[in-house]
Amino acid sequence: MARDVANVWWAMFGFSVLVLLVVSALWIYAMLRRPQTYSAEQALRINRRWIIGGGLILPTVSIIALLAFGIPTGRSMLPLPVEGEQPLRIQVVGHQWWWEVRYPDSGVVTANQFILPVDRPVDVEVTSADVIHSFWVPRLGGKLDMVPGRTNTLRLQASQTGVFRGQCSEFCGSQHAHMILHVEALEPDAFAGWVEARRELAHQPPSGDAGRVFDERCGQCHRVAGVSDGDRAPDLSDLATRPTLGAGVIANDSEGLRRWLSDHQSLKHGIAMPRHDDIPEETLGQLADWLETLAP
Ligand code: HEC
Ligand SMILES: [Cu+2]
């Protein structure tokens, strides 16, 4: 689909360059030509020629040519019925300022990463939990608004494995620029393994103080399979497998995770995650150790 969109763009670009050249040539010709006088009747004929040729025929032909390119491209992004293997459904919910990603056929939930199989159509069902966001992965083409109370569907297909970058592309508040989506297309077997590993995940809560703190201070917002079921913040069940924290603000490694826990409000000011300066550093360290184990 991305290729089709790019082709329409190049066709429009080529055509407008052609129009520019023709108009410039006519303009230069008109400037160089010696002034002439016409009878009223001749002038009327010339006027008519321009109105019919330049004002009616040229735009009609251009618009028809554009539609001939544009309509099939638009259709390729519609979730129309297909024969054979059915498109995979992936639901994406926009939040200020992170992405909730669900695989309804297997019950898998993750956040800020969108993993898809290569060479298979994917229906991305997008909506929002708060304000309007927009789902856009430029390398995969298409872009679709995520509107609260409404589900829009975009069909995509990756033709290569690899990592692509997605970005919210409808201004949604102060951290809109920090709403990045890690997109990765995997071979079908690797994708099936990725889903399978997450299907029956269940973790143990952290021990000691960290366990109590997580229960009292984190679990009401964050879900961790087998431990808590908050639904106001990113699901942390496979946190350790994600490349970044805070939808792209910082790398998800040992150091990044500790910084996030102590300093998330300066890394990403205004997020719903409250400061917790009162939690002793040692307990935060234990929490971080435990969060680093959250993987299938
Ligand atoms: C009031 C709800 C709330 C509470 C309570 C809360 N968080 Fe968060 N947390 C969030 C939100 C919202 C985000 C996503 C922020 C963003 O990226 O815009 C987040 C992000 C995170 C992330 C990064 C996840 C990712 O994939 O980027 C981690 C890790 C995290 N929180 C851990 C914790 C821990 C540990 C606690 C308890 C000490 C906690 N949170 C308490 C709302 C909360
Ligand atoms: Cu946005």
Side-chain angles (χ1 to χ4, degrees):
M1 293 92 192
R3 196 177 306 119
D4 291 346
V5 172
N7 286 343
V8 171
W9 190 89
W10 281 109
M12 286 174 68
F13 178 70
F15 191 69
S16 44
V17 167
L18 194 73
V19 170
L20 178 70
L21 290 179
V22 170
V23 169
S24 306
L26 287 173
W27 172 65
I28 291 168
Y29 172 70
M31 298 295 283
L32 296 178
R33 200 174 168 218
R34 218 173 296 124
Q36 297 185 13
T37 47
Y38 296 107
S39 69
E41 203 179 306
Q42 273 174 320
L44 194 66
R45 211 171 332 112
I46 293 172
N47 276 353
R48 248 191 227 131
R49 211 189 290 148
W50 278 108
I51 290 172
I52 293 173
L56 292 173
I57 297 178
L58 182 68
T60 307
V61 169
S62 319
I63 288 170
I64 289 175
L66 191 59
L67 286 178
F69 271 106
I71 289 177
T73 304
R75 275 180 76 82
S76 73
M77 284 184 264
L78 292 179
L80 301 171
V82 291
E83 285 177 17
E85 192 182 23
Q86 289 308 298
L88 176 75
R89 288 168 62 210
I90 306 181
Q91 296 165 337
V92 183
V93 185
H95 294 260
Q96 284 170 315
W97 293 278
W98 57 279
W99 310 84
E100 172 184 342
V101 181
R102 299 180 164 267
Y103 296 76
D105 301 330
S106 52
V108 169
V109 183
T110 186
N112 300 329
Q113 63 175 351
F114 182 89
I115 311 294
L116 73 163
V118 74
D119 289 332
R120 176 174 172 190
V122 174
D123 281 351
V124 195
E125 300 171 0
V126 303
T127 186
S128 166
D130 37 50
V131 300
I132 300 178
H133 301 272
S134 179
F135 178 92
W136 192 32
V137 186
R139 292 283 303 277
L140 297 181
K143 182 202 284 187
L144 199 60
D145 273 6
M146 312 172 82
V147 181
R150 204 193 138 86
T151 301
N152 292 328
T153 306
L154 175 69
R155 179 160 300 161
L156 296 178
Q157 184 165 331
S159 53
Q160 282 173 22
T161 57
V163 173
F164 314 112
R165 179 177 159 135
Q167 167 74 52
C168 177
S169 43
E170 181 68 48
F171 181 71
C172 57
S174 60
Q175 293 294 344
H176 162 65
H178 290 146
M179 191 166 161
I180 293 155
L181 182 63
H182 169 86
V183 178
E184 197 166 343
L186 301 176
E187 293 292 352
D189 286 350
F191 176 75
W194 185 90
V195 170
E196 209 42 54
R198 282 161 180 75
R199 203 195 271 271
E200 307 269 302
L201 261 185
H203 295 289
Q204 294 295 321
S207 52
D209 269 357
R212 186 182 45 78
V213 166
F214 188 83
D215 190 44
E216 288 170 5
R217 307 282 296 272
C218 319
Q220 77 274 29
C221 286
H222 291 284
R223 174 175 175 272
V224 172
V227 178
S228 63
D229 50 19
D231 60 0
R232 288 190 278 154
D235 189 307
L236 301 178
S237 307
D238 69 353
L239 180 76
T241 67
R242 311 207 291 243
T244 68
L245 297 170
V249 289
I250 190 171
N252 183 15
D253 51 22
S254 229
E255 196 195 324
L257 188 56
R258 278 159 182 78
R259 256 194 84 192
W260 176 268
L261 290 188
S262 57
D263 222 13
H264 49 277
Q265 281 292 344
S266 21
L267 285 167
K268 200 167 176 181
H269 182 73
I271 59 173
M273 179 156 154
R275 280 188 186 286
H276 38 238
D277 303 336
D278 56 313
I279 301 177
E281 203 154 311
E282 201 192 318
T283 313
L284 282 181
Q286 289 165 359
L287 269 176
D289 289 342
W290 176 70
L291 289 169
E292 282 182 274
T293 69
L294 298 181

